């Protein structure tokens, strides 16, 4: 593998990460399969892919809410998968998560103040008035009225709740925040508020984001780099402008062509790339390239159905896992 | 121009809840012409689904249509006897919903459900029904329709279920198909295929389509005319090109500015609409958008604008309109 | 950013307007409960019962232990409001004290049941794995043994004190609660707010006490409310068999048993405690129904 920027040390590095869930009768859901990537300090990495491809699972592996089946996740050089109990709990201060559902991610029986204060209490960081002050400060940071700290979540709208979730994630001053579809459940007019807020906070607190979404246009807007996932594997990683201009994997290409653009003239001219067949099952993923049953340019059986393409550098800082990446048509 | 198949006139639908009267649809009027594709956009809770449900008189308790007319080929659905409305449902006006799994019966074969949809309105023999069901599945591009007709819904993927729903909707050759967020639960690649299918079907069968969605891109791809709803009202309507290229209502304009676009250069910041969508029990005074509008003037606080012509076939409910707002903005900058 | 001249910018904090001021879940539940006639009447009956039970601790029209305060088998009269029993004791006084016994049995068992069932259910539901395996097996074993048998053995071993009876009944009744709490915990631990708590370093004991238990409280309360009449009935049944609270402490079950032989000549001796019992059981069940409807969020329109 060609080194990116030699003097930059990744904040997080995932090596051969695998997650299988038992699915009964000895079968297993191969949700994440031998995934490798790194996240550098201060950048936003977008993670896209269709429903069920393993995005949330990968996010939960990184934050160690789920144990890996095998593989290593290094955070600042420390292998999180080898940590347990109190050591892992201490590491959580630096690794936070924002959840998709602003309704189910806040405890309905706790006040907003208590929700935001909980991380502080867990590590005995602040007490009494200092804690209250910090909670109010956090509310202000995310654009909420600091005097609403003794209200309950149900009194807030979806967007406001998502702000509360962001305040909770910020409370411990983490280095990395995994945001799992933070805007998917929000009203269209509110999504921009949250995207802007996350961008502002990143600048202010030097945050690093892993931003998970299924909407490639949102991901492209917020991310420096984009990773595309298909059926448990990362199939393409590149700079977000590059991946749009020059997709090197047919799945990325199909995804790009399918995203509706709010312009009737452009929509009328676009051609979508049809994916034949159905989404394969992660219990029994196809042999060779997992995308081959649906790939418009697949050559079966050889090499696509019997040789798994490695995720390799196709251009500078642009990796893709496809035997025929040069054949992927350029531009949308 | 041909006579409209559907005319909605000053429709008001309200929910009488413990907390107060929710004015979910508050004076909506529009026409739908034969074979037309009409998009209704707006964010969650603005009354899109309730408008659609009202058209078929499917609004549930504690909701009620309190005002207005819904003329289907000239007869008013609002005052029609129940039996006649039941006759129209599924036959003349079909509806498909967001969640294709919960709208299909899990224990009945897909083919059987399509046949049932036909037999509810016309008497046909089993053989004819089966061959028509297969033909419909083919029409919605389900491969190997002859064998898939025997499948149960769980054997279909999400996209195929939505296709099956569309097939059921088309079973009686309706003149109007109402699709309420038909692709929201689907992946983008599947969404694109469903939209393409709807577009083709509209051309093949000349069925008029009302497409309800919160996704501006989806409307741009399929519809000829667009209604933009905000807080139970239509705030802007017009041909799709004008709505997208020359929006006159600040809400439409802001919405378009606030979504990241795949084809645009990466901007630093999205324009965001501050504040919250209003509470429909106590909607704001004056223009309902005024608490969130960045172009509001004194008049907007107390004077409620109604739809005014702002271009050929285009109307917006705004005292300022974007043409003037942007011109003033330019002056202020200069 | 485009802003028309002389125009106020939107509020500084997005959060200056709340989505909608809603009542809290409890206030909302109370509002719904109040609209339920049967539940309200039941609450009133039960409050009356509590008052009677408290009063009986200090005062009864006649001393309950003394026999022959009146003639035997006397039907209700002005002097003895509900008549007298086979030993000439005042039934009204005994009924009052019986209420005390019933309430103690009902509430007492549910306190033990709740303590045991909640602890066990939380642990099994949250930690799952082998712990859940063991707990589930124990629950199923207890379901397998006839409860009457367990209670009889315990009463024979421990004696017939009120506290022992309460304990014996609780031992046969904790499984429903444990199962309910286990199921609730199972569901709640998958909710994102529990995951969020784990992600921010919350320890398991706090997750259980702060996040899971408060959110399972509604169903627990409903379950306990339904558990009270079951326990009362069970005690009455034990007493009827002569295995309940040690005489002369009057239990409604024992009172009914006492009059059983004279059902023909003095039916009131059986009827009075039986009616009191039924009324109490009904009241608790209607209240339970009302609480379930009021606390069940799916009912929310
Ligand atoms: N706890 C679990 N037990 C078993 N299977 C699981 C579990 N969690 C996820 N899976 C499976 O793993 C696969 C990946 O799921 P995951 O939630 O990561 O997908 P996703 O990409 O986040 O999808 P979405 O866009 O729908 O959120 C799916 O097939 C899912 O069914
Ligand atoms: N059964 C009901 N009882 C009370 N209010 C209701 C009911 N159904 C809908 N409403 C209210 O009517 C308004 C319009 O709802 P509607 O379902 O039409 O929104 P929508 O535009 O379809 O939104 P979405 O994009 O979320 O589907 C909302 O404010 C909603 O709260
Ligand atoms: S390796 Fe083959 S099947 Fe896989 S994406 Fe490339 S061309 Fe398609
Ligand atoms: S009428 Fe006024 S407040 Fe309403 S949209 Fe137009 S400018 Fe804004
Ligand atoms: Mg997910
Ligand atoms: Mg809707």
């Amino acid at each position: 593998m060609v080194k990116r920027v030699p003097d930059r040390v990744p904040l997080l590095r995932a090596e051969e990460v695998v997650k299988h869930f038992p699915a009964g009768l000895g079968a297993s859901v191969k949700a994440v399969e031998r995934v490798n990537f790194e996240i550098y300090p201060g950048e936003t990495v977008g993670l896209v892919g269709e429903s069920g491809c393993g995005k949330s699972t990968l996010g939960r592996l990184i934050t160690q809410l789920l144990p890996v089946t095998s593989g290593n996740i290094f955070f600042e050089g420390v292998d999180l998968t080898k940590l347990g109990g109190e050591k892992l709990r201490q590491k959580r201060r630096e690794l936070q998560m924002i959840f998709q559902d602003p309704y189910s991610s806040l405890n309905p029986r706790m006040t907003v103040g208590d929700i935001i204060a909980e991380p502080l209490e867990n590590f005995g960081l602040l007490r009494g008035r200092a804690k209250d002050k910090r909670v109010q400060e956090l509310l202000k940071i995310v654009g909420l009225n600091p005097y609403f700290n003794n209200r309950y979540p149900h009194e807030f709208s979806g967007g406001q709740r998502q702000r509360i979730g962001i305040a909770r994630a910020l409370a411990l001053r983490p280095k990395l925040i995994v945001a799992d579809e933070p805007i998917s459940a929000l009203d269209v007019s509110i999504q921009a508020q949250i995207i802007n807020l996350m961008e502002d906070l990143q600048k202010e607190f030097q945050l690093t984001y892993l931003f998970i979404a299924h909407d490639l246009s949102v991901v492209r807007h917020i991310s420096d780099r984009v990773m595309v996932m298909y059926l448990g594997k990362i199939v393409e990683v590149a700079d977000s402008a590059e991946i749009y201009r020059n997709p090197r994997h047919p799945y990325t290409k199909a995804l790009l062509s399918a995203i509706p653009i709010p312009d009737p003239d452009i929509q009328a001219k676009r051609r979508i790339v049809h994916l034949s067949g159905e989404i394969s099952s992660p219990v029994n993923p196809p042999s060779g390239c997992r995308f081959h049953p649906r790939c418009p340019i697949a050559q079966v059986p050889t090499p696509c159905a019997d040789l798994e393409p490695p995720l390799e550098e196709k251009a500078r800082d642009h990796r893709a896992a496809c035997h025929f990446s040069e054949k992927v048509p350029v531009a949308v | 121009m041909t006579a409209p198949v559907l005319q909605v006139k000053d429709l008001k639908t309200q929910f009488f809840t413990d907390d107060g009267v929710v004015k979910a649809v508050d004076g909506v009027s529009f026409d739908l012409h034969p074979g037309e594709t009409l998009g209704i956009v707006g964010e969650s809770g603005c009354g899109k689904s309730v408008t659609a449900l009202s058209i078929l008189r499917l609004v549930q308790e504690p909701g009620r249509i309190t005002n207005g007319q819904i003329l289907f080929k000239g007869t008013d659905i609002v005052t029609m006897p129940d039996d006649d409305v039941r006759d129209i449902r599924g036959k003349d006006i079909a509806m498909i919903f967001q969640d294709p799994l919960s709208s299909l019966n899990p224990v009945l074969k897909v083919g059987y459900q399509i046949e049932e949809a036909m037999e509810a309105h016309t008497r046909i023999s089993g053989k004819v029904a089966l061959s028509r069901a297969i033909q419909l599945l083919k029409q919605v591009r389900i491969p190997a329709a002859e064998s898939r007709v025997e499948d149960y819904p769980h054997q279909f993927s999400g996209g195929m279920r939505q296709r099956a729903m569309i097939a059921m909707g088309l079973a009686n050759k309706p003149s109007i198909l109402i699709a309420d967020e038909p692709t929201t639960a689907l992946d983008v690649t599947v969404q694109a295929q469903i939209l393409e299918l709807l577009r083709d079907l509209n051309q093949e069968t000349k069925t008029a389509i009302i497409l309800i969605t919160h996704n501006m891109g989806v409307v741009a791809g399929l519809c000829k005319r667009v209604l933009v709803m905000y807080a139970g009202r239509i705030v802007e309507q017009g041909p799709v090109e004008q709505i997208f290229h020359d929006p006159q209502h600040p809400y439409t304009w802001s919405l378009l500015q606030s979504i990241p676009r795949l084809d645009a250069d990466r901007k630093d910041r999205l324009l965001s609409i501050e504040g919250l969508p209003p509470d429909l029990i106590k909607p704001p005074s004056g223009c309902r958008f005024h608490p969130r509008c960045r172009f509001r003037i004194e008049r907007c606080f107390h004077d409620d604008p109604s739809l005014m012509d702002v271009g050929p076939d285009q109307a917006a409910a705004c005292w300022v309109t974007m043409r003037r707002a942007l011109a003033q903005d330019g002056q202020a900058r200069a | 950013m485009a802003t028309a001249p002389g125009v106020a910018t939107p509020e500084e904090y997005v959060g200056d307007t709340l989505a909608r001021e809603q009542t809290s879940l409890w206030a909302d539940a109370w509002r719904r409960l109040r609209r339920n006639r049967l539940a309200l009447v039941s609450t009133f009956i039960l409050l009356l019962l509590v008052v009677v039970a408290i009063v009986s601790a200090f005062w009864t029209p006649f001393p309950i232990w003394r026999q022959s305060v009146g003639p035997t088998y006397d039907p209700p009269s002005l002097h003895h409001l509900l008549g007298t029993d086979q030993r000439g004791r005042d039934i009204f006084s005994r009924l009052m004290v019986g209420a005390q016994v019933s309430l103690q049995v009902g509430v007492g068992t549910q306190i033990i049941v709740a303590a045991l069932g909640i602890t066990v259910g939380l642990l099994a539901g949250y930690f799952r794995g082998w712990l859940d395996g063991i707990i589930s097996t124990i629950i199923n074993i207890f379901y397998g043994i006839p409860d009457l048998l367990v209670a009889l053995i315990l009463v024979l071993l421990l004696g017939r004190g009120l506290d022992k009876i309460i304990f014996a009944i609780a031992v046969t009744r904790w499984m429903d609660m444990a199962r309910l709490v286990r199921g609730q915990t199972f569901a709640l631990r998958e909710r994102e707010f529990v995951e969020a708590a784990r992600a921010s370093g919350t320890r398991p004991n706090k997750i259980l006490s702060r996040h899971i238990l408060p959110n399972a409280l509604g169903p627990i309360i409903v379950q306990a409310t339904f558990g009270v009449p079951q326990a009362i009935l069970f005690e009455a049944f034990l007493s009827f068999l002569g295995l309940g609270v040690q005489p002369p402490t009057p239990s409604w079950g024992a009172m009914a048993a006492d009059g059983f032989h004279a059902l023909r000549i003095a039916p009131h001796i059986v009827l009075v405690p039986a009616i009191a019992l039924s009324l109490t059981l009904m009241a608790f069940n209607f209240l339970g129904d009302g609480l379930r409807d009021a606390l069940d969020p799916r009912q929310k329109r």
Side-chain angles (χ1 to χ4, degrees):
Chain A
M1 199 174 68
V2 185
K3 272 224 183 95
R4 277 173 54 91
V5 194
D7 56 328
R8 267 173 98 201
V9 187
L11 181 67
L12 182 122
R13 195 171 82 242
E15 272 181 7
E16 298 289 302
V17 171
V18 175
K19 181 69 193 180
H20 292 179
F21 293 104
L25 301 172
S28 63
V29 178
K30 295 160 185 80
V32 173
E33 191 77 274
R34 291 197 290 113
V35 157
N36 295 284
F37 64 91
E38 49 289 308
I39 298 174
Y40 293 91
E43 73 172 345
T44 299
V45 176
L47 179 60
V48 284
E50 63 200 338
S51 181
C53 72
K55 306 182 294 293
S56 300
T57 304
L58 190 54
R60 281 168 170 74
L61 292 172
I62 289 172
T63 46
Q64 284 291 299
L65 287 169
L66 278 176
V68 297
T69 303
S70 68
N72 306 300
I73 296 166
F74 295 96
F75 181 75
E76 297 188 306
V78 180
D79 188 351
L80 297 177
T81 63
K82 300 278 187 303
L83 297 182
E86 186 57 23
K87 280 205 179 117
L88 177 62
R89 206 180 71 87
Q90 289 296 336
K91 266 280 168 255
R92 293 202 184 285
R93 288 170 63 166
E94 311 196 326
L95 268 161
Q96 285 294 302
M97 188 142 178
I98 300 172
F99 294 86
Q100 168 169 1
D101 186 345
Y103 290 88
S104 84
S105 61
L106 303 178
N107 185 343
R109 301 300 164 99
M110 279 165 76
T111 63
V112 166
D114 287 343
I115 288 171
I116 298 173
E118 185 167 54
L120 301 170
E121 289 163 7
N122 289 337
F123 294 97
L125 294 182
L126 293 168
R127 291 208 169 70
R129 289 191 53 79
K131 186 179 76 188
D132 295 346
K133 252 189 81 189
R134 174 80 177 133
V135 167
Q136 298 202 338
E137 184 187 303
L138 282 161
L139 280 169
K140 246 188 275 180
I141 288 173
V142 296
L144 290 172
N145 188 324
Y147 297 106
F148 284 166
N149 61 349
N150 47 16
R151 302 288 192 134
Y152 284 88
H154 66 252
E155 295 173 60
F156 294 85
S157 71
Q160 290 173 327
R161 283 158 170 253
Q162 203 53 294
R163 288 170 190 266
I164 297 165
I166 293 173
R168 169 175 61 193
L170 286 178
L172 294 168
R173 303 182 200 275
K175 291 186 176 137
L176 177 67
I177 293 184
V178 174
D180 188 2
E181 312 225 16
I183 62 163
S184 307
L186 302 180
D187 278 347
V188 195
S189 76
I190 305 297
Q191 295 187 350
Q193 291 180 12
I194 298 297
I195 295 176
N196 286 345
L197 173 67
M198 285 186 64
E199 286 181 334
D200 295 345
L201 294 172
Q202 179 168 43
K203 280 191 208 107
E204 201 172 333
F205 302 106
Q206 287 88 47
L207 296 169
T208 307
Y209 289 138
L210 176 66
F211 190 97
I212 301 174
H214 58 258
D215 185 344
L216 198 47
S217 41
V218 171
V219 165
R220 198 180 77 97
H221 171 85
I222 198 169
S223 310
D224 302 302
R225 286 194 302 136
V226 175
M227 304 199 285
V228 181
M229 212 170 164
Y230 184 80
L231 214 59
K233 303 227 57 154
I234 291 179
V235 295
E236 185 158 10
V237 188
D239 180 89
S240 58
E242 164 80 4
I243 211 165
Y244 168 71
R245 261 190 324 238
N246 196 14
R248 282 275 143 262
H249 194 282
Y251 177 64
T252 313
K253 174 69 193 166
L255 217 51
L256 285 166
S257 80
I259 289 169
I261 292 177
D263 186 323
D265 297 349
I266 296 178
Q267 278 299 77
K269 282 189 232 115
R270 287 172 89 205
R271 300 212 55 78
I272 64 168
V273 175
H274 279 275
L275 297 182
S276 52
E278 286 174 43
I279 298 160
S280 314
S281 150
V283 177
N284 253 325
S287 61
C289 173
R290 290 183 165 205
F291 187 52
H292 85 256
R294 302 174 72 197
C295 179
I297 60 166
Q299 297 199 4
V300 274
T302 338
C304 295
D306 49 32
L307 207 62
E308 184 173 336
L311 181 65
E312 56 188 12
E313 198 103 7
K314 302 287 179 185
R316 207 180 119 75
D317 290 342
H318 190 156
R319 281 183 281 165
C322 173
H323 294 304
F324 301 103
S325 65
E326 71 285 354
K327 285 198 191 155
V328 177
V330 180
V332 187
Chain B
M1 212 141 102
T2 49
V5 265
L6 186 76
Q7 277 179 294
V8 175
K9 291 185 175 167
D10 199 24
L11 175 69
K12 290 187 182 168
T13 304
Q14 307 185 331
F15 290 89
F16 298 84
T17 68
D18 295 343
D19 301 321
V21 181
V22 181
K23 299 170 195 75
V25 176
D26 201 31
V28 159
S29 307
F30 64 89
D31 289 356
L32 179 74
H33 292 275
E36 193 179 27
T37 43
L38 177 74
I40 304 184
V41 280
E43 57 197 313
S44 187
C46 69
K48 308 182 294 293
S49 299
V50 174
T51 304
L53 293 171
S54 303
I55 292 173
L56 285 174
R57 255 183 44 200
L58 285 172
V59 180
Q60 303 275 323
E61 277 296 313
R64 229 183 309 137
I65 298 176
T66 55
N67 186 54
Q69 285 181 309
I70 298 168
L71 302 175
F72 174 71
K73 294 183 174 160
T75 39
D76 189 1
I77 294 180
V78 177
T79 54
M80 207 176 258
D82 285 351
D83 281 347
D84 295 4
V85 184
R86 218 165 293 137
D87 245 18
I88 286 183
R89 278 182 212 147
K91 183 159 172 281
D92 300 297
I93 306 178
M95 185 152 176
I96 54 177
F97 298 92
Q98 172 172 348
D99 184 0
L101 189 54
S102 63
S103 333
L104 284 167
N105 185 337
V107 298
L108 296 178
K109 289 176 181 167
V110 173
Y112 181 78
Q113 296 188 52
I114 299 175
E115 289 166 36
E116 247 189 349
M118 281 183 272
E119 282 156 6
H121 296 286
T122 36
R123 286 165 152 258
I124 39 171
S125 73
K127 256 209 189 107
V128 178
L130 180 67
S131 70
R132 175 107 173 90
I134 294 172
Q135 187 202 334
L136 280 163
L137 286 179
K138 280 185 181 157
Q139 197 172 20
V140 296
R141 324 272 193 267
I142 287 187
E146 285 85 355
S147 58
R148 301 307 300 246
V149 77
E150 298 289 328
D151 281 358
Y152 290 92
H154 72 91
Q155 292 168 286
F156 274 30
S157 69
M160 286 167 72
R161 284 183 208 129
Q162 196 56 288
R163 282 164 200 267
M165 286 304 299
I166 295 173
M168 277 167 73
L170 295 176
N172 295 301
K173 306 197 168 97
S175 34
I176 302 172
L177 179 71
I178 303 177
D180 190 356
E181 310 257 10
T183 60
T184 308
L186 305 173
D187 279 314
V188 272
T189 52
V190 184
Q191 163 172 295
Q193 290 169 12
I194 296 287
L195 292 175
E196 206 172 57
L197 173 69
L198 286 174
R199 191 161 43 223
D200 293 349
L201 289 175
N202 170 250
Q203 251 139 51
E204 284 166 28
T205 64
K206 301 288 172 233
T207 305
I209 294 178
I210 299 182
L211 178 79
I212 295 174
T213 176
H214 60 263
N215 187 326
M216 296 295 256
V218 166
V219 180
L222 181 65
C223 302
K224 287 273 172 298
R225 278 173 55 76
V226 185
L227 310 177
V228 182
M229 283 188 75
Y230 185 78
R233 296 266 180 89
I234 294 175
V235 293
E236 181 156 16
Q237 64 182 49
V240 68
E241 293 81 14
Q242 267 155 265
I243 297 292
F244 281 81
H245 295 313
D246 192 19
Q248 286 307 311
H249 196 280
Y251 177 65
T252 318
W253 182 86
S254 312
L255 215 51
L256 284 167
Q257 298 282 318
S258 75
I259 40 184
R261 288 175 58 146
L262 199 56
D263 59 329
D265 286 334
R266 207 183 143 193
K267 284 184 299 188
D268 281 342
R269 261 184 100 75
L270 297 169
L271 180 133
S272 77
I273 306 175
E274 298 303 327
L276 299 174
D279 180 354
L280 294 184
I281 291 176
K282 260 192 301 170
S285 63
C287 171
R288 293 186 173 189
F289 188 53
H290 90 254
R292 307 176 72 191
C293 182
R294 55 182 74 234
F295 305 107
R296 65 189 172 201
I297 53 173
E298 175 56 32
R299 185 174 188 186
C300 307
F301 288 74
H302 47 79
D303 222 356
D304 191 5
S306 46
L307 283 169
M308 295 169 263
D309 286 341
V310 290
D313 213 17
Q314 183 182 6
C318 174
W319 298 124
V320 178
T321 71
M322 289 314 298
R323 208 164 287 138
R324 249 175 284 168
L326 294 176
Q328 265 191 10
D329 195 40
Q331 273 173 19
R333 288 236 179 107
Chain C
M1 233 182 277
T3 309
V7 167
T9 49
E11 288 77 12
E12 184 185 356
Y13 295 123
V14 226
D16 258 356
T17 42
L18 285 169
R20 180 186 294 178
E21 294 226 19
Q22 287 163 310
T23 43
S24 80
L25 190 107
W26 297 118
D28 210 43
W30 171 232
R31 195 179 61 182
R32 258 172 294 165
L33 191 65
R34 256 185 343 205
R35 258 185 305 174
N36 184 335
R37 287 260 171 76
L38 275 174
L40 264 191
V41 172
S42 301
T43 313
F44 182 73
I45 291 176
L46 294 176
L47 281 177
L48 198 72
L49 197 70
V50 171
V51 171
V52 167
I54 293 172
V55 169
S56 76
F58 305 102
W59 176 84
T60 48
F62 294 90
I64 52 147
W65 65 89
R66 201 181 322 144
Q67 306 188 355
S68 306
V69 291
T72 54
Y73 301 118
D74 217 15
S77 64
L78 267 182
H79 195 52
H80 293 287
L81 279 178
L82 296 174
T84 59
D85 67 4
Q86 76 282 10
R87 295 203 180 102
R89 293 174 296 195
D90 180 48
I91 294 182
F92 185 64
S93 307
R94 288 173 61 77
L95 196 74
M96 284 174 70
V97 180
Q100 202 184 323
V101 172
S102 285
L103 280 180
Q104 281 180 26
V105 168
V107 176
T109 48
Q110 287 315 301
I111 289 173
I112 301 178
V113 163
L116 190 66
I118 290 174
T119 315
V120 165
L122 283 177
L123 292 177
Y126 189 73
F127 292 104
R128 302 194 278 197
W130 58 268
L131 188 62
D132 181 35
I134 294 175
I135 291 174
S136 297
T137 310
I138 297 177
I139 290 179
N140 284 329
I141 291 174
F142 267 85
Y143 269 126
I145 313 173
D147 47 6
L148 195 58
L149 193 69
V150 176
L152 287 182
I153 292 171
L154 281 172
V155 170
L156 289 176
L157 284 178
L158 300 172
R160 289 171 64 185
L162 187 56
D163 49 346
K164 279 130 197 160
I165 300 272
I166 289 174
F167 177 76
I169 298 176
V171 166
T172 68
R173 283 281 176 274
W174 62 278
M175 297 87 73
D176 285 347
M177 182 66 87
R179 245 191 200 174
L180 171 93
V181 176
R182 174 179 170 272
Q184 291 281 321
T185 310
F186 244 88
L188 285 167
R189 67 162 279 154
E190 301 301 329
R191 295 276 296 276
E192 282 186 343
F193 65 82
V194 173
E195 218 170 13
R198 283 205 292 142
S200 55
T202 314
R203 295 187 176 89
N205 57 354
K206 215 165 149 197
I207 290 186
L208 288 174
S209 65
R210 234 181 152 180
H211 294 276
I212 292 184
L213 186 56
N215 282 289
L217 223 46
I220 290 175
I221 290 172
V222 173
Q223 172 80 24
T225 311
F226 282 126
V228 170
Q230 283 178 18
I232 293 177
L233 189 63
F234 199 55
E235 185 277 334
F237 189 51
L238 285 177
S239 291
F240 193 80
L241 295 180
L243 285 158
V245 185
Q246 188 85 42
T249 310
S251 144
W252 290 347
M255 287 168 68
D258 285 349
F260 207 63
H261 68 277
L263 196 57
R264 272 162 202 253
I265 55 162
H268 67 276
I269 305 179
V270 177
L271 280 182
V272 165
I275 291 171
L277 192 64
S278 311
L279 219 61
T280 309
L281 300 187
M282 265 189 323
F284 270 110
N285 279 316
F286 280 128
L287 179 64
D289 272 340
L291 282 173
R292 185 173 50 204
D293 294 346
L295 288 168
D296 190 347
R298 271 165 301 178
Q299 297 263 321
K300 203 170 158 74
R301 270 181 289 162

